[in-house]
Amino acid sequence: MPDISTPHLDYSKLTEAWDINDALMGGTLFLRQQGERYLPRWPHEDKQRYQQRLAVATLLPAYEETLKNNLGRVFSEPTQLSETTPAVIVDYCHNMDLQGNRLDVWAQAYFSLALQYGVAHALVDYPRVEALKTRAEEKACGARPYAVLINPRQVIGWQSHHSGGQCQLTELRIKEQIVVETAPYHPQKIEQIRKLTPGRVELYRKMTQADGVERWRLHDSWVTSCPVIPLVTLYSKRTGFMCGAPPLLNLALLNIKHWQSQSEQDNILHVARVPILNVFGLEEGETLAIGAASALHFTDRTRQGTAYTEHSGAAVDAGKAALSDLVEQMRQAGGKLLRCQNSSTKTIDQVSEERLQAHSPLYTLSNSLEDALDNILQLMADWVGEKDGGKVDIRTELETAQQSVNAPAALAIQALRQGGDIRQVDAIRALQSLNIIDADANPDRVCDELNNLPLDLL
């Protein structure tokens, strides 16, 4: 019977791809725990032999390392806040989640979830302060908005409606697991579902009813002053509203295939590199002692003797070639860490163009991340009555690598300015486009600073 825990119709369609991501991110030990799900047992292979093969299987972490490298390319430099960011928001960014994580660290975890699952959620929450009457009292007790990372697996249900050409979230259900100490030194994990609607929060927990059956029932509820559900969703591969798929799923599937093929290769090597001893011509009941301290004696070498049977190696070579092909396919599917370096001579324009082609999807995702972080800061500003939450600037590897100064263009701007052909503010905007002056700086404010320099700088 449907209840508060019944997932959204689209939820079950998302978990299969998410399971593959979780398995690869869990590493070798987690994949071994999954057993036959990702490493099938061969026909007629008994359980003991399968467990022996599973116990020595190892994972090439191509998928995990690719995600980490792409993450590092986006966060090549510390994030920067715009000059218009209020001081209170700047202070919040030093501890985004009330767990000691500054904006840089928190944003990396946020983006990592989006790269893994195709979608990630951030909830801007605020402590319960029903007993406090004024903002001054809230500030005195340390109450402040903070950001909470929500794994997409936790978001089990949602509802929305279209208004003003936009799809607005009207209901959100998040499954959580909290630790409650039911007795001294006896912590217990309890599942609960948080239901959010504009201006209200409800908590549901399982309770034993009179008939002895556990059912989800309302445990607690409270009202909030936020007129919307303060959730910010970041997509890296959107498949629908609140839905996403891992953008590197093809790489993940190839990595699973490599895990399986590597196990088969290890097994055939284990068998092939040990030659088989054949003995012929022994009498009935006759035995031989084989070892370094033993010798063999035969009376007729034409009818008696020993020989070794060895593997030709063709199957081993075929398996090795197949693994190499898989590694190459993983490179093509997005395995940046595994990509071969091209040592041919290239011009600067060729290098810049190839780098732009290789990173343009990632560069687009970094822009989406900037927008999401801007929305999070704005929600924080709304909580505390600030009109503007400021802007976040993320400097990617692509941007930092292209920070060479265009000297001819800069000299041309300077000449036009000295000749009186352009205004000072236009010159500053042109220099901003060349990344010589901070692109997020206010041109009018820069003009004012240049026209009112301190005496020691004149």
Side-chain angles (χ1 to χ4, degrees):
M1 180 178 179
D3 58 15
I4 192 69
S5 66
T6 303
H8 191 277
L9 290 175
D10 293 333
Y11 184 80
S12 60
K13 302 175 185 177
L14 307 173
T15 54
E16 182 179 0
W18 291 352
D19 288 345
I20 296 173
N21 166 81
D22 291 349
L24 291 172
M25 295 301 291
T28 296
L29 295 180
F30 186 81
L31 277 171
R32 288 177 182 175
Q33 294 170 6
Q34 298 300 301
E36 295 185 34
R37 181 176 184 183
Y38 295 112
L39 188 64
R41 190 160 52 134
W42 299 328
H44 310 298
E45 183 180 22
D46 60 55
K47 287 189 176 181
Q48 182 179 358
R49 288 186 178 276
Y50 172 78
Q51 289 299 327
Q52 291 174 348
R53 182 164 65 93
L54 179 65
V56 296
T58 53
L59 172 70
L60 176 69
Y63 178 76
E64 180 183 3
E65 292 297 331
T66 299
L67 289 178
K68 290 180 179 179
N69 276 272
N70 286 333
L71 189 65
R73 291 185 174 99
V74 171
F75 292 91
S76 62
E77 287 189 358
T79 56
Q80 297 182 2
L81 297 173
S82 65
E83 296 179 353
T84 59
T85 306
V88 63
I89 301 298
V90 174
D91 184 58
Y92 292 165
C93 289
H94 295 151
N95 187 5
M96 279 290 290
D97 54 1
L98 293 184
Q99 296 182 14
N101 294 314
R102 67 181 189 272
L103 177 61
D104 293 88
V105 177
W106 187 90
Q108 288 187 42
Y110 186 35
F111 192 62
S112 177
L113 280 179
L115 283 181
Q116 292 180 52
Y117 297 98
V119 60
H121 308 286
L123 181 69
V124 180
D125 207 352
Y126 197 88
R128 296 178 64 177
V129 289
E130 292 98 333
L132 305 179
K133 304 299 182 182
T134 65
R135 288 194 180 276
E137 291 177 342
E138 292 180 11
K139 186 176 181 180
C141 75
R144 47 147 291 191
Y146 59 96
V148 181
L149 283 179
I150 306 295
N151 190 298
R153 282 188 176 277
Q154 295 178 257
V155 180
I156 62 172
W158 57 88
Q159 293 182 14
S160 62
H161 78 278
H162 287 270
S163 176
Q166 294 184 345
C167 187
Q168 297 182 350
L169 194 63
T170 58
E171 181 185 300
L172 180 70
R173 286 179 288 135
I174 304 173
K175 180 172 282 191
E176 305 170 333
Q177 196 172 65
I178 62 173
V179 178
V180 177
E181 194 164 316
T182 56
Y185 310 109
H186 189 267
Q188 184 178 357
K189 291 183 178 180
I190 296 179
E191 274 192 340
Q192 67 179 20
I193 295 176
R194 183 184 298 262
K195 177 183 175 183
L196 293 90
T197 53
R200 184 174 178 83
V201 180
E202 297 176 353
L203 291 182
Y204 290 82
R205 292 183 183 176
K206 281 186 177 180
M207 299 180 184
T208 304
Q209 306 301 302
D211 56 2
V213 179
E214 283 190 339
R215 295 186 178 89
W216 290 96
R217 291 293 181 261
L218 182 64
H219 173 72
D220 195 4
S221 65
W222 62 92
V223 296
T224 70
S225 60
C226 188
V228 298
I229 297 176
L231 186 80
V232 178
T233 300
L234 172 63
Y235 298 96
S236 63
K237 186 177 181 181
R238 179 170 178 164
T239 58
F241 182 68
M242 301 289 286
C243 299
L248 294 177
L249 180 60
N250 290 332
L251 171 62
L253 293 171
L254 287 170
N255 208 169
I256 290 292
K257 186 176 181 180
H258 188 279
W259 156 260
Q260 298 167 350
S261 184
Q262 183 68 63
S263 174
E264 295 174 357
Q265 182 71 1
D266 291 343
N267 186 73
I268 195 173
L269 278 174
H270 174 72
V271 174
R273 63 188 174 190
V274 179
I276 301 173
L277 179 63
N278 296 322
V279 180
F280 58 92
L282 294 182
E283 299 294 336
E284 185 71 26
E286 187 178 359
T287 60
L288 289 178
I290 306 296
S294 303
L296 301 178
H297 175 71
F298 298 104
T299 57
D300 187 351
R301 295 284 295 177
T302 60
R303 296 186 303 104
Q304 299 172 315
T306 60
Y308 279 101
T309 301
E310 294 190 83
H311 199 284
S312 68
V316 176
D317 291 340
K320 184 178 179 180
L323 286 173
S324 299
D325 291 342
L326 273 176
V327 171
E328 181 60 31
Q329 291 173 29
M330 284 192 286
R331 290 193 186 107
Q332 296 175 6
K336 301 290 185 180
L337 184 66
L338 304 176
R339 181 160 293 173
C340 293
Q341 298 296 325
N342 191 338
S343 58
S344 60
T345 304
K346 302 177 183 178
T347 65
I348 294 178
D349 291 338
Q350 285 177 320
V351 172
S352 299
E353 183 180 356
E354 289 179 7
R355 183 171 304 185
L356 181 62
Q357 291 173 351
H359 294 282
S360 56
L362 194 63
Y363 182 74
T364 302
L365 292 179
S366 70
N367 291 334
S368 299
L369 175 62
E370 282 185 346
D371 294 340
L373 294 176
D374 291 345
N375 292 333
I376 291 172
L377 296 188
Q378 186 59 51
L379 285 171
M380 287 184 168
D382 293 340
W383 275 110
V384 295
E386 292 283 350
K387 293 183 179 180
D388 184 17
K391 301 293 182 183
V392 179
D393 183 23
I394 296 177
R395 303 294 176 89
T396 66
E397 183 186 66
L398 176 63
E399 292 175 299
T400 55
Q402 292 180 341
Q403 286 182 349
S404 58
V405 176
N406 189 339
L411 290 174
I413 295 170
Q414 183 183 21
L416 290 171
R417 174 61 188 144
Q418 290 175 346
D421 296 324
I422 60 174
R423 298 176 302 169
Q424 184 183 30
V425 67
D426 294 328
I428 290 171
R429 287 172 180 153
L431 292 173
Q432 284 180 313
S433 67
L434 297 176
N435 290 325
I436 296 176
I437 296 178
D438 185 4
D440 293 327
N442 187 317
D444 295 324
R445 183 175 298 179
V446 175
C447 287
D448 183 65
E449 291 177 358
L450 291 175
N451 295 331
N452 298 279
L453 291 173
L455 294 176
D456 55 347
L457 295 179
L458 293 176

